[in-house]
Amino acid sequence: MWYPYILSGFPAYLSQTFFFSPAILLTFRIFNAITGYHVFIMVHMFFTVLGTYWFARLLRLSKSAALFTALTYTFCQWVINFSPIISFSSVYPALPFLCVCAYKIAMGRYRYVVGVSGAVAYIWLTSYTELALYAMIISGVCCTFFSFTRADIPLQTRLRPIILFMLGGVLGTALAAFWIA
């Protein structure tokens, strides 16, 4: 609950989105403050491992390489250092999921636009504004990369996945706007 690495300390439960997020409200309705805080972070770490593993497997890495990638991302210094701040730990599972959606949309599975909308709305509701923008930029670059490296589709139609991905981001922002406003 207290993050000691910002100035002389920072109350993590008083962060920008802590009291306003529906996920946090639900977690703290089920658990008490300390248990809910730890459960929230551990669930996000678990989904970070799963999302990164899924993304690595989509990139055709072997199972052991994908597991190594997932564990490396989940337990890197950046993730571990900032995971006590709930607004940071909420982005960690959403980022690989957004990259999975970007890959799937670039491969022609346009129903993953719904996943982009949900992930973007979740990031807006549980994270800082800068982190939400960074996550959307990173995953948008992934979508652009995956779209333009496909040789099996004509050049004129390679913008369609990028436009659909951006549409998913706009829809997710609109979904979150009802809660934030």
Side-chain angles (χ1 to χ4, degrees):
M1 299 297 260
W2 183 261
Y3 189 66
Y5 301 114
I6 297 177
L7 299 175
S8 296
F10 176 74
Y13 60 90
L14 293 177
S15 64
Q16 173 183 349
T17 57
F18 189 82
F19 288 117
F20 302 113
S21 169
I24 292 170
L25 291 174
L26 179 67
T27 303
F28 284 97
R29 185 169 295 275
I30 296 171
F31 301 103
N32 64 21
I34 300 297
T35 305
Y37 178 75
H38 293 295
V39 165
F40 194 81
I41 291 173
M42 295 310 291
V43 165
H44 280 89
M45 298 300 264
F46 175 73
F47 282 112
T48 302
V49 170
L50 287 180
T52 309
Y53 180 81
W54 185 17
F55 182 55
R57 289 294 291 160
L58 284 176
L59 297 177
R60 294 184 180 91
L61 294 177
S62 67
K63 289 180 182 179
S64 59
L67 181 63
F68 180 75
T69 302
L71 293 176
T72 301
Y73 172 66
T74 304
F75 297 109
C76 71
Q77 181 182 4
W78 174 261
V79 173
I80 294 299
N81 193 28
F82 288 105
S83 63
I85 300 175
I86 285 183
S87 296
F88 278 83
S89 67
S90 300
V91 174
Y92 301 140
L95 184 59
F97 182 71
L98 279 172
C99 290
V100 165
C101 290
Y103 181 83
K104 293 288 192 176
I105 290 170
M107 295 302 136
R109 296 205 169 152
Y110 299 133
R111 68 176 180 253
Y112 279 87
V113 171
V114 176
V116 171
S117 300
V120 167
Y122 184 75
I123 291 173
W124 277 118
L125 292 176
T126 59
S127 182
Y128 294 118
T129 304
E130 300 89 19
L131 293 176
L133 293 174
Y134 293 154
M136 287 188 286
I137 290 169
I138 290 168
S139 54
V141 167
C142 284
C143 185
T144 304
F145 174 77
F146 294 137
S147 295
F148 280 96
T149 55
R150 286 189 63 186
D152 60 332
I153 60 174
L155 186 60
Q156 296 84 4
T157 60
R158 290 184 188 179
L159 288 177
R160 181 180 300 151
I162 300 165
I163 292 169
L164 288 172
F165 187 84
M166 291 188 324
L167 176 68
V170 169
L171 290 174
T173 303
L175 285 172
F178 290 112
W179 183 269
I180 295 171

